[in-house]
């Protein structure tokens, strides 16, 4: 049961260490000591009296206590052996592996086991790519036009009716959405039956609320394929504002880290939170461009526009984006035809630490 799952996690940890193994390489004039065979992995809550060590073929016990074992890789353990052990103890069936490989762009004639040779990559890359495709594959649900009259979950501090109608239409037209900030927009995504959805929040209460509502099936089909990411942007003040903007982890955790997980662009990016809205718009367009999206089809929605315009000025987005629809507080932007990655980078850099009031 749980121990088998932990064994699979330990295998992933070792595969990750091997991916970044740099024994003998020189960095900044110094020989690096990053050695995957010196990495230790601990497994907690293991009954050592069981005498059944599922990792013994690839790792040995460095030390142990009543409920903890600490392992290091055997020096003769290979990446493929660790990978095979992960396959054995993961919850994924072998036919799922083959299905993903057959439909992949670069691995159509390759088995899961030898695909790393064809892709010139590591087993960790193969595993993470497979699990990502499995988790992010669009879910088939009936698509529903947003019904503002019967919209059951209107937030008292949420969208106006005009903004609800605009966003509801945009979400019905989209097949994938990424949201910075969770709330009423997340509920609207669920009501329209969004096939692919990822949302990020810095407050655990918002993640719990969004997950409970979208998975309840009370007002719509269960959207249990929705992916929610909780990020640590530091201590929060009123209205989700980050108190200490100087924290180096804050902008990475909120802006970059969640999108690094996404290997495909989205049709619609929505900036509902107040944290770094200008930078989030730039990062959204840059993410879509990285993955070769048709930028004429990509849209970015921004809420709380009156506050943003007061803070940054009316022309804050003028050089990179143009408004194609808008209500009271919600505006929808499209990339300007003459906008470049360089312009987006310059705008991002200028406002990367500037938060809305």
């Amino acid at each position: 049961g749980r121990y088998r799952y932990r064994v699979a996690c330990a295998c992933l940890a070792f595969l990750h260490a091997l991916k970044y193994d740099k024994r003998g390489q020189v960095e900044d004039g110094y020989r690096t000591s990053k050695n995957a065979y010196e990495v230790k992995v601990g497994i907690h809550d293991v009954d050592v009296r069981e005498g059944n060590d599922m990792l013994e073929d690839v790792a040995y016990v460095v030390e142990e206590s009543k409920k903890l074992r600490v392992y290091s890789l055997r020096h003769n353990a290979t990446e493929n052996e660790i990978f095979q052990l992960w396959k054995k103890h993961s919850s994924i069936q072998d036919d799922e592996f083959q299905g993903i490989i057959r439909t992949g762009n670069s691995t159509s004639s390759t088995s899961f086991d030898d695909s790393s040779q064809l892709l010139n990559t590591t087993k960790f890359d193969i595993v993470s790519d497979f699990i990502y495709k499995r988790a992010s594959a669009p879910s088939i649900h009936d698509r529903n036009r947003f019904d503002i009259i019967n919209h059951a979950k209107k937030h008292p501090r949420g969208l106006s009716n005009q903004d609800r109608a605009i966003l509801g239409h945009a979400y019905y037209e989209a097949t994938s959405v990424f949201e910075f900030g969770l709330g009423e927009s997340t509920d609207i995504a669920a009501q329209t039956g969004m096939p692919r959805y990822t949302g990020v929040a810095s407050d655990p209460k918002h993640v719990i609320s969004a997950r409970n509502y979208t998975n309840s099936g009370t007002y719509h089909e269960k959207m249990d394929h929705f992916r929610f990411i909780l990020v640590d942007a530091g201590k929060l003040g009123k209205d989700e504002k980050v108190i200490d903007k100087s924290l180096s982890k804050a902008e990475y955790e909120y802006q970059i880290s969640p999108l690094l997980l996404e290997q495909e662009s989205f049709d619609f990016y929505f900036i509902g939170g107040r944290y770094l809205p200008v930078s989030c718009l730039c990062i959204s367009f840059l993410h879509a461009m990285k993955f070769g999206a048709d930028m004429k089809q990509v849209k970015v929605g921004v809420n709380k526009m009156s506050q943003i315009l007061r803070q940054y000025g009316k022309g804050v987005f003028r050089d990179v984006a143009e408004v194609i629809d808008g209500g009271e507080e919600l505006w929808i932007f499209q990339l300007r035809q003459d906008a470049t990655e360089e312009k987006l980078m310059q705008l991002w850099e200028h406002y990367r630490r500037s938060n809305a009031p």
Side-chain angles (χ1 to χ4, degrees), residues 3-292:
Y3 181 54
R4 290 174 62 90
Y5 178 74
R6 289 170 185 161
V7 169
C9 289
C11 290
L12 280 180
F14 284 132
L15 288 173
H16 184 266
L18 285 168
K19 171 179 169 67
Y20 293 102
D21 185 26
K22 295 182 178 180
R23 285 169 295 157
Q25 294 186 25
V26 176
E27 293 181 350
D28 299 326
Y30 296 94
R31 189 168 296 279
T32 178
S33 60
K34 294 176 182 176
N35 186 340
Y37 291 88
E38 295 176 355
V39 168
K40 295 178 175 60
V41 175
I43 301 184
H44 183 247
D45 201 18
V46 174
D47 191 344
V48 298
R49 296 170 300 176
E50 291 178 355
N52 182 19
D53 195 337
M54 298 179 184
L55 280 168
E56 63 182 353
D57 289 340
V58 299
Y60 63 94
V61 178
V62 178
E63 54 185 317
E64 66 181 6
S65 63
K66 196 172 183 179
K67 289 288 185 180
L68 174 71
R69 278 194 181 128
V70 179
Y71 295 88
S72 280
L73 274 179
R74 294 188 182 278
H75 285 277
N76 61 348
T78 67
E79 193 181 33
N80 192 59
E81 287 174 329
I82 301 166
F83 169 72
Q84 294 298 337
L85 189 63
W86 173 80
K87 275 182 64 177
K88 180 179 178 181
H89 295 294
S90 72
S91 61
I92 303 169
Q93 301 302 311
D94 193 64
D95 59 345
E96 291 185 83
F97 290 128
Q98 304 307 326
I100 289 292
I101 292 303
R102 283 194 296 270
T103 58
N105 292 332
S106 303
T107 57
S108 57
S109 61
T110 299
S111 72
F112 194 83
D113 292 335
D114 62 15
S115 57
S116 59
Q117 294 180 350
L118 183 121
L119 293 173
N120 192 27
T121 188
T122 69
K123 291 295 186 185
F124 180 83
D125 294 321
I126 297 295
V127 170
S128 59
D129 184 61
F130 166 76
I131 293 178
Y132 168 77
K133 288 177 179 176
R134 186 174 183 251
S136 64
S139 183
I140 299 175
H141 289 277
D142 292 335
R143 299 305 308 274
N144 307 300
R145 292 189 180 277
F146 177 62
D147 183 358
I148 194 169
I149 296 176
N150 296 312
H151 178 42
K153 199 174 181 184
K154 296 179 180 178
H155 292 216
R157 297 174 57 220
L159 303 168
S160 68
N161 278 338
Q162 183 184 12
D163 291 341
R164 289 181 182 117
I166 290 171
L167 190 64
H169 176 73
Y171 276 12
Y172 177 72
E173 294 291 325
T175 60
S176 58
V177 165
F178 184 94
E179 290 190 334
F180 293 97
L182 307 176
E184 189 172 3
S185 60
T186 314
D187 306 335
I188 293 174
Q191 291 175 45
T192 59
M194 189 62 64
R196 175 176 166 235
Y197 174 93
T198 301
V200 57
S202 51
D203 189 331
K205 297 192 297 292
H206 292 176
V207 174
I208 293 170
S209 176
R211 183 184 61 206
N212 290 346
Y213 177 77
T214 57
N215 290 356
S216 68
T218 304
Y219 304 106
H220 46 72
E221 288 186 76
K222 283 188 177 182
M223 297 289 117
D224 52 8
H225 64 285
F226 276 29
R227 296 169 53 222
F228 301 111
I229 300 172
L230 175 64
V231 299
D232 178 15
K235 188 175 180 180
L236 302 177
K238 187 178 179 181
D239 297 328
E240 279 191 61
K241 287 178 65 177
V242 175
I243 293 175
D244 187 358
K245 301 177 194 175
S246 66
L247 285 174
S248 59
K249 67 179 179 180
E251 59 182 332
Y252 174 80
E253 287 288 329
Y254 195 84
Q255 289 182 59
I256 309 300
S257 178
L259 283 173
L260 279 178
L261 302 173
E262 301 299 333
Q263 300 170 24
E264 300 174 73
S265 62
F266 291 84
D267 297 339
F268 198 99
Y269 298 78
F270 182 66
I271 303 163
R274 292 184 175 186
Y275 184 57
L276 301 174
V278 180
S279 293
C280 286
L281 175 134
C282 296
I283 286 296
S284 297
F285 281 130
L286 287 170
H287 180 264
M289 294 169 82
K290 171 181 170 62
F291 289 100

Side-chain angles (χ1 to χ4, degrees), residues 330-348:
L330 170 67
W331 291 8
I332 297 178
F333 293 87
Q334 203 165 38
L335 193 69
R336 288 176 57 100
Q337 289 188 356
D338 59 350
T340 63
E341 284 184 296
E342 185 61 32
K343 285 184 178 180
L344 287 165
M345 275 296 300
Q346 289 173 356
L347 188 64
W348 175 83

